[in-house]
Amino acid sequence: MTDEEEQMLRPQDTATRERKSLNGLWRFALDADGAGRREEWWNGPLRTAREAAVPASYNDLFADPAARDHIGDVWYQTSVRVPAGWDGRRIVLRFDSATHRAVAWVDDTRVADHEGGYTPFEADVTALVTPGQEVRVTVVVNNELTWQSIPPGFVTETPDGKHLQYYHDFFNYAGLHRSVWLYSTPVAHLSDITVVTGLDGSRGTVEYRSEAEGGEGLEVRAVLRDAEGAEVAHAAGASGVLTVAGAHPWRPGEGYLYDLEVGLVRGDEVVDAYTLGVGVRTVEVRGTEFLINGEPFYFTGFGRHEDIPVLGKGHDDAFLVHDFALMEWIGANSFRTSHYPYAEEVLDYADRHGFVVIDETAAVGLNTGLAGGIFGGEGYPTFSDDTINDASRAVHAQAIRELVARDKNHPSVVLWSIANEPESHTEAARDYFEPLFTLTRELDPSRPVGFVNVMLAPHGKCLVSQFADVLMLNRYYGWYVNTGDLAGAERAWQAELDAWAGDGKPIIITEYGADTVAGLHSVNPGPWTEEYQVAYLDMNHRVFDRVDAVVGEHVWNFADFETKPGVFRVDGNKKGVFTRDRRPKAAAHLLRRRWRREP
Ligand code: GCB
């Protein structure tokens, strides 16, 4: 495991850079048999009657179970005219994500291969394109999961075809979920920028480090401007520290951003320019407190999903704005990107609007113990030579590298979550995870690191939480255990939480929730009713309020979401506080009163 860093500056329009979106309708074909790779479908126009929207999951676009339940390759193809003005410039093709892996071609040339469904990848295509002319872009996207993918899973074959098994509780949506870009930079260009901020009283610092390619003989200049555009500090050199007297901090609820303009210059000529929004804030764990700017912070909000009707996991700006509006309405100050890195638009929005984010990798379902009779796959050990092994860990390490590289500069991100509910009570789990914690800290010494603990590894049994700066617990007392018995649940939950509090670390309850069918009511608040969800949350809140070490509560889930079929799921997971079309259940009003401290 090396700590070799990834570099990934998002495409921008600046004085020296331009980008062109490839979003829209692409030619699209399902390819369950894998004929496309054999027949080299990238070599010409894709023969298909279908078109698919980009960005979107393809699964729910068509009225066709073959698309919905597809396992294997799908092909996307479009044509794009390279702007004539890009002559003499470096030209890059960039995918914000392709779930879970992809190969891309420009005309007949293979340009990119990427593993992992939730982080970007790109290819320098300068030598393959002619400004002013059209090129064909073809992508094959594969949605199969293996013991060596993040998240893991496996494919079995029966006489009726392929079956995909996995240990996580959300539908395996796939496709081009985020934007695709063609962008240009000068040949000599900035390739990476890292900022780390500090606050000492009212004195703010912005430590920056930049990297450039082809920049021999060029210099770097950095200028920091406030939200009104006034220059507050400048520096020269590839790295340096900018100091702001009387800094306006970024803080929860107030996403104040400075603009850091980094220029690659030759004398007065700006060869390349890149602008980063910078929030001046600090994050620190002290004892059982989670401090932002030195002040104790209490997380209120949700574990969420990228999940909307028709688009599946496709990013949509209207839902982005609406979901944040609902979070503001209810008094949420934070959320976790359960269970994978979200679209960068989401983090940018959180930066600008002062939301706090726990940023999670796609390492979900590294736990065959969660299979039970529900998800299938029982009988496999989680960690073994034939299941999750050293090769899997290398993929997991790469997922962490790509997450940190992409999100390291977001002030909203205050905590890394390197996995959700992995097996954590075994020595194999301890050995698997320890180096991943070390790696994450090497990549980003400025933020705390944790993972999300599962109920199967309670206090005293978990061997991985010793490596975490913050304890993140998912617990379902009153739902999966003590079902319908909130008094018994309250006692059991209190006992476990008191034990965790003895570890002297801050605790965030990253999941608690109860499936609730909107509109189902009863004077006897039984499971699945709106009354039960309210009573269940109330019980949890009583427990949290008695434990000082609890520094946050994230209800599972913000909204109802799609899962694979199962006897535990009725048209998906119904633990949403909002329905899938974002209508509030009764619990929404309870949370709003609690989080906004309204009577
Ligand atoms: C969990 C998982 C989450 C599930 C949830 C549930 O512990 O982290 O992905 O959806 O439980 O509803 O069962």
Side-chain angles (χ1 to χ4, degrees), residues 116-404:
Y118 304 94
T119 42
F121 57 97
E122 60 181 33
D124 182 331
V125 299
T126 315
L128 302 172
V129 303
T130 310
Q133 312 248 312
E134 274 203 355
V135 288
R136 191 171 63 241
V137 177
T138 310
V139 198
V140 59
V141 182
N142 178 277
N143 71 346
E144 286 161 289
L145 299 172
T146 73
W147 290 111
Q148 277 68 53
S149 63
I150 294 292
F154 59 94
V155 175
T156 53
E157 294 225 38
T158 66
D160 6 277
K162 288 198 223 172
H163 304 268
L164 179 65
Q165 314 242 28
Y166 48 88
Y167 298 89
H168 55 270
D169 181 34
F170 53 92
F171 190 78
N172 187 45
Y173 280 117
L176 296 177
H177 287 153
R178 300 175 190 160
S179 294
V180 183
W181 305 97
L182 201 60
Y183 74 91
S184 81
T185 72
V187 174
H189 63 278
L190 293 159
S191 55
D192 197 29
I193 302 170
T194 309
V195 297
V196 177
T197 62
L199 261 179
D200 185 3
S202 64
R203 191 173 146 273
T205 50
V206 178
E207 210 183 302
Y208 73 92
R209 203 172 65 232
S210 67
E211 278 165 57
E213 275 169 32
E216 295 75 28
L218 302 183
E219 282 166 24
V220 174
R221 282 205 212 120
V223 178
L224 194 70
R225 294 180 204 281
D226 67 17
E228 277 75 53
E231 180 177 325
V232 293
H234 64 263
S239 59
V241 182
L242 298 152
T243 304
V244 191
H248 191 146
W250 184 98
R251 57 164 77 93
E254 198 203 350
Y256 189 92
L257 295 179
Y258 290 87
D259 265 343
L260 175 66
E261 285 176 27
V262 181
L264 191 61
V265 300
R266 184 186 294 114
D268 284 341
E269 181 202 356
V270 178
V271 176
D272 190 17
Y274 198 90
T275 305
L276 266 187
V278 172
V280 178
R281 60 105 183 92
T282 62
V283 174
E284 189 192 337
V285 168
R286 194 193 298 148
T288 59
E289 290 183 320
F290 194 99
L291 306 176
I292 299 182
N293 302 339
E295 288 168 23
F297 178 67
Y298 191 92
F299 296 74
T300 61
F302 302 95
R304 297 172 58 199
H305 265 299
E306 291 187 314
D307 178 273
I308 42 182
V310 185
L311 284 107
K313 294 204 172 306
H315 174 73
D316 181 83
D317 278 340
F319 271 91
L320 162 84
V321 172
H322 190 55
D323 285 354
F324 274 92
L326 291 177
M327 286 197 291
E328 252 167 53
W329 173 85
I330 207 168
N333 60 20
S334 57
F335 59 92
R336 174 170 59 119
T337 69
S338 44
H339 294 308
Y340 35 82
Y342 288 1
E344 284 171 85
E345 288 86 341
V346 176
L347 295 174
D348 284 346
Y349 199 93
D351 289 345
R352 291 194 300 271
H353 294 264
F355 276 82
V356 171
V357 177
I358 302 173
D359 206 359
E360 187 159 281
T361 68
V364 55
L366 280 68
N367 198 334
T368 58
L370 285 179
I374 313 168
F375 298 128
E378 42 290 61
Y380 292 99
T382 301
F383 299 102
S384 76
D385 288 348
D386 299 328
T387 54
I388 297 176
N389 56 23
D390 288 350
S392 320
R393 184 168 58 192
V395 176
H396 193 161
Q398 182 63 13
I400 293 172
R401 276 186 210 104
E402 291 183 23
L403 175 70
V404 174

Side-chain angles (χ1 to χ4, degrees), residues 477 485-495 539 542-543 546:
Y477 289 99
D485 168 19
L486 292 178
E490 185 162 351
R491 231 175 325 113
W493 196 184
Q494 184 79 48
M539 177 279 285
R542 283 197 297 276
V543 175
R546 289 192 289 256

Side-chain angles (χ1 to χ4, degrees), residues 17-33:
R17 295 178 168 232
E18 269 178 62
R19 57 182 191 171
K20 176 168 181 167
S21 165
L22 271 62
N23 293 354
L25 293 174
W26 291 46
R27 292 188 285 284
F28 178 81
L30 301 173
D31 180 22
D33 306 327

